[in-house]
Amino acid sequence: MLEYSMLYPKTTESRRAISLNGMWKFCLDEKAVGEQEKWTEGIPGNDRIPVPASFQDFYTDKDTREFTGDVWYETDMFVPGEWENTQVQVRFAAATHRAVVYVNGIKVTEHEGGFLPFTADVTEIVRYNASNKVVVKVNNELNETNIPCGSTVTLANGKKMTKPYFDFFNYSGLQRSVHLVSVPKESVFDFDLTYELDGVTNGTAQTAKISYQVQTNGEHPVFLELFDESGASVASAQGAQGVLTVSDAHLWQVRNAYLYRLVIRIMDESLVIDEYEQEIGIRTVEVKGTEILLNGQPVYLRGFGKHEDSDIVGRGFNIGVMKRDFELMKWIGANSFRTSHYPYSEEIYEMADREGFLVIDEVAAVGLFASMLNFMDASSGKTTAFFESETIPVLLKAHLKALEEMITRDKNHPCVIAWSLLNEPETTNEAAVPYFKEVFDKAHELDPQKRPRTYAMIMNSTPDQCKCFQFSDMIALNRYYGWYVCGGYEISNAEAMFRKEMDAWKAKNLNKPFLFTEYGADTLGSEHKLPSVMWSQEYQKEYLEMVHGVFDSYDFVKGEQIWNFADFQTWEGIMRVNGNKKGVFTRQRQPKDAAYLLKERWTNLPLNFKAGGVVQERRNLNGKFS
């Protein structure tokens, strides 16, 4: 069990949450002397930097942008005197990739894993009704013992440099919100919810049963109450575990979300000891044969692989960019996305809950294929025997911990319909099998709702070579026929190769839904060429027309999530012109020509496209579905 609660910080009758976001002191530790020079008590210099944000893109010198090693943050926080008899915590929504936290010069916690929350209990450390100093050392080095994987090298000039085994920039720092939190000493620590529906018609269940289990750290009784969107109480229950029964329940549906407000209280007679609330959606998710079922009805996924990536703040959470992204996804007709390649900021899941988007939630297990050019190397058939490495036992431990943190954090979001447990790992070697088994078994054990599990399969994970596809409840393919393989005028060969692989998957008769979790072609938003060439907008559209034809030819394909939603930053190299340009939108969130092609397709695709294993709608001469 986790040592700290993953519940999002909220202010309620019993709780207080104060944002510590803002301008923090900041410095690089180029000579790794921070501890020796007692930076734990206060860091040198007067530079300030925004939190939350990645640190790299604020500065104009390359040494800072590419800095690898320890960076230090500092701020002051005032702790109210009335909190003295509560539990006082400092909560970090993320620190990439590892952090050590000091309060008033005393080490209070450390954490490894850059995309999930952790909490420091500072109850006995802080001075009440006074200012307290918070200092955080954050390290962004990559290795093969933690996810995401990569390596760290030292250049001839003595400076360190990260070598990621993944195709996105190693943004880092305090990239998500920091809160000062007060909770009662007896409090709600966690809760699990599962759903059972009866008599479902037109988005309503005659009866919905919400089985719950609440974990507290005390003995006082627990009470639950459920409110509908009008504020009316529709169900209540007493006890740390039990069932809430809702009559005529409004169901959470795709792009038509209905959210109830669940209030959990610990009571001492009429006195509220603790209160926590969360919006929830009543819905069920399961895979049955080749169908993905939401509330018992088949759904076809259309949407994106995404990144938390934008100008200036890098991977830092940006509430304005989040709003724009959801509006663009609604405009284009998407209904889903994968949190490639790490769990996203919690606010994004709350937004997806409200907007009715389906989310494949991915742990940061990317780079489990020892190559800086894995997108190229895997396409050419290279193997790396990654899971034979001596670092695997330590890596597995870190992977399982991150998986537990992600599922514990996100399990009650209605938007989360599946877990992605790895992205593009090496699976052509039998050594991967026990690793995969342990990870997939753990995900099933941790999730009370037993959502489908999957992983995104790299190009060399073919039906005749992959040793691990049997673990997935849904087969998720990342495929780039027509780009990394047989691009340009060879696209006819690419289509033939693509269909040959899909025919081989079909011959296996796996009776599982297939998703395309990546496909795409790099495109410069400024580039037009007639006739088309690779990198032109015209070629991106021709490529999409080819792959859509393949998707539509196989009745077991139940989703398409193009790579990528928007252009994003990568490391330097001859394969990338200032980043990955496969975005349907530019990094500034403006549409490329392909956006209009996808909008035409997706807004005309029925939600139950290919339900029952039959391609029920065929395109007419205008490319529309009717």
Side-chain angles (χ1 to χ4, degrees):
M1 186 188 77
L2 294 175
E3 296 178 358
Y4 42 80
S5 174
M6 299 294 277
L7 298 180
Y8 189 79
K10 294 182 179 179
T11 294
T12 68
E13 183 175 341
S14 59
R15 295 172 173 239
R16 298 292 181 267
I18 297 174
S19 172
L20 296 180
N21 293 348
M23 298 299 287
W24 290 44
K25 284 187 69 176
F26 176 79
C27 69
L28 307 179
D29 193 355
E30 295 174 285
K31 298 181 180 179
V33 296
E35 283 94 346
Q36 179 184 334
E37 297 187 358
K38 297 186 177 180
W39 294 6
T40 56
E41 300 173 8
I43 68 176
N46 293 300
D47 193 16
R48 298 290 193 276
I49 197 170
V51 172
S54 307
F55 72 82
Q56 284 90 348
D57 284 354
F58 293 112
Y59 297 94
T60 56
D61 65 294
K62 195 163 184 175
D63 282 343
T64 301
R65 190 190 71 199
E66 302 293 335
F67 181 78
T68 297
D70 296 334
V71 298
W72 292 72
Y73 292 80
E74 177 193 322
T75 195
D76 293 319
M77 63 181 185
F78 185 88
V79 180
E82 57 266 31
W83 289 13
E84 194 158 358
N85 293 316
T86 70
Q87 186 180 32
V88 181
Q89 306 164 343
V90 182
R91 186 195 195 257
F92 296 82
T96 312
H97 294 282
R98 58 196 59 82
V100 184
V101 182
Y102 301 87
V103 173
N104 298 330
I106 299 170
K107 178 181 172 181
V108 293
T109 194
E110 58 185 322
H111 182 263
E112 184 157 12
F115 301 95
L116 288 159
F118 62 98
T119 299
D121 184 342
V122 296
T123 308
E124 304 300 328
I125 304 297
V126 296
R127 296 184 292 268
Y128 293 90
N129 253 351
S131 183
N132 296 263
K133 190 173 296 297
V134 180
V135 173
V136 188
K137 182 183 76 170
V138 180
N139 179 275
N140 68 348
E141 296 178 39
L142 298 174
N143 54 47
E144 293 187 9
T145 60
N146 187 43
I147 53 175
C149 293
S151 62
T152 299
V153 301
T154 302
L155 304 178
N157 61 9
K159 296 182 183 295
K160 292 180 180 178
M161 179 181 179
T162 55
K163 296 275 190 176
Y165 300 163
F166 47 84
D167 186 30
F168 54 94
F169 192 76
N170 187 38
Y171 281 120
S172 46
L174 295 181
Q175 301 188 128
R176 297 179 186 163
S177 294
V178 184
H179 283 89
L180 175 63
V181 178
S182 167
V183 299
K185 292 189 176 179
E186 183 175 353
S187 61
V188 176
F189 187 85
D190 192 16
F191 64 97
D192 295 340
L193 303 173
T194 60
Y195 303 95
E196 183 181 337
L197 309 178
D198 185 53
V200 176
T201 54
N202 299 321
T204 302
Q206 186 175 353
T207 305
K209 292 182 179 179
I210 307 173
S211 297
Y212 69 85
Q213 185 164 334
V214 178
Q215 182 182 336
T216 73
N217 58 1
E219 301 298 328
H220 282 89
V222 175
F223 295 82
L224 287 83
E225 192 165 12
L226 192 68
F227 299 87
D228 66 16
E229 289 190 350
S230 73
S233 176
V234 296
S236 60
Q238 179 178 350
Q241 58 184 14
V243 178
L244 289 161
T245 302
V246 185
S247 299
D248 298 322
H250 300 281
L251 300 183
W252 189 92
Q253 301 177 82
V254 182
R255 299 290 302 109
N256 183 20
Y258 190 96
L259 296 177
Y260 289 86
R261 183 167 61 94
L262 176 65
V263 179
I264 304 172
R265 296 186 180 96
I266 302 173
M267 302 292 293
D268 182 2
E269 305 263 331
S270 60
L271 176 68
V272 176
I273 296 176
D274 187 29
E275 177 184 85
Y276 189 81
E277 64 177 56
Q278 182 166 320
E279 288 185 318
I280 67 169
I282 297 175
R283 61 98 186 93
T284 59
V285 177
E286 65 176 320
V287 164
K288 199 170 191 177
T290 64
E291 304 287 6
I292 304 167
L293 302 177
L294 188 81
N295 304 324
Q297 300 300 310
V299 296
Y300 184 89
L301 305 186
R302 50 186 190 263
F304 299 97
K306 289 182 90 274
H307 265 297
E308 287 187 286
D309 175 280
S310 62
D311 285 334
I312 301 175
V313 297
R315 192 144 291 117
F317 174 69
N318 185 313
I319 194 170
V321 170
M322 175 184 73
K323 173 64 175 176
R324 174 68 173 180
D325 285 1
F326 274 92
E327 291 302 315
L328 290 174
M329 288 191 290
K330 288 154 63 176
W331 170 83
I332 206 171
N335 63 20
S336 66
F337 60 92
R338 175 172 62 122
T339 70
S340 41
H341 296 297
Y342 37 81
Y344 287 178
S345 301
E346 291 151 287
E347 294 84 357
I348 293 175
Y349 298 80
E350 292 176 352
M351 189 79 162
D353 289 342
R354 172 58 60 188
E355 297 286 0
F357 277 85
L358 306 173
V359 174
I360 298 175
D361 202 2
E362 186 162 273
V363 73
V366 58
L368 281 71
F369 183 102
S371 167
M372 288 187 67
L373 292 169
N374 51 21
F375 52 90
M376 289 291 293
D377 288 337
S379 300
S380 66
K382 177 180 177 178
T383 60
T384 67
F386 183 87
F387 291 95
E388 293 183 3
S389 168
E390 62 182 14
T391 60
I392 287 300
V394 181
L395 177 65
L396 176 59
K397 184 177 179 181
H399 192 162
L400 293 174
K401 178 175 177 285
L403 186 61
E404 181 178 13
E405 290 176 343
M406 179 182 76
I407 293 178
T408 302
R409 190 193 73 166
D410 298 340
K411 63 190 172 185
N412 293 318
H413 285 289
C415 66
V416 176
I417 62 160
W419 309 112
S420 178
L421 307 184
L422 311 96
N423 178 75
E424 297 191 341
E426 166 71 88
T427 65
T428 59
N429 189 300
E430 289 286 352
V433 174
Y435 188 104
F436 271 65
K437 184 177 189 320
E438 192 155 352
V439 170
F440 274 75
D441 286 351
K442 188 66 172 179
H444 188 73
E445 171 195 328
L446 290 168
D447 181 18
Q449 296 182 19
K450 310 305 179 191
R451 293 169 179 85
R453 302 151 298 166
T454 190
Y455 71 97
M457 298 169 62
I458 200 166
M459 284 283 287
N460 67 359
S461 293
T462 55
D464 60 327
Q465 294 293 325
C466 182
K467 310 299 182 186
C468 299
F469 64 80
Q470 68 273 16
F471 294 109
S472 287
D473 300 307
M474 306 185 297
I475 304 297
L477 301 178
N478 294 357
R479 292 297 181 266
Y480 290 100
Y481 296 104
W483 187 250
Y484 296 126
V485 176
C486 293
Y489 192 52
E490 293 183 89
I491 196 170
S492 58
N493 284 354
E495 180 174 359
M497 295 173 68
F498 197 176
R499 290 182 179 277
K500 182 178 179 181
E501 181 185 343
M502 294 307 295
D503 288 343
W505 283 115
K506 182 178 181 179
K508 284 192 170 293
N509 195 27
L510 298 181
N511 196 31
K512 295 179 180 182
F514 278 60
L515 309 174
F516 285 95
T517 39
E518 287 188 28
Y519 59 98
D522 282 274
T523 307
L524 295 176
S526 60
E527 191 68 23
H528 287 276
K529 187 82 169 182
L530 187 66
S532 74
V533 294
M534 295 173 72
W535 292 86
S536 70
Q537 300 217 48
E538 287 73 21
Y539 184 76
Q540 189 179 34
K541 291 170 65 177
E542 291 169 14
Y543 166 89
L544 288 177
E545 289 167 349
M546 183 274 284
V547 298
H548 291 160
V550 176
F551 296 168
D552 296 344
S553 299
Y554 297 90
D555 56 18
F556 53 85
V557 172
K558 295 301 169 70
E560 52 194 68
Q561 294 181 327
I562 190 171
W563 191 256
N564 188 283
F565 171 77
D567 294 345
F568 59 92
Q569 194 67 57
T570 65
W571 40 266
E572 294 180 277
I574 60 173
M575 294 299 300
R576 295 281 174 252
V577 184
N578 190 26
N580 190 306
K581 298 294 194 274
K582 291 189 183 68
V584 173
F585 300 94
T586 66
R587 200 182 192 208
Q588 292 71 42
R589 274 53 181 182
Q590 296 301 327
K592 299 179 186 177
D593 288 0
Y596 298 95
L597 182 151
L598 287 168
K599 178 178 173 65
E600 180 77 5
R601 173 177 171 83
W602 287 349
T603 55
N604 286 287
L605 272 182
L607 181 61
N608 66 345
F609 182 48
K610 298 194 235 181
V614 176
V615 182
Q616 299 162 313
E617 293 81 9
R618 295 294 182 184
R619 280 180 287 185
N620 63 24
L621 293 176
N622 296 320
K624 292 184 179 180
F625 286 83
S626 57

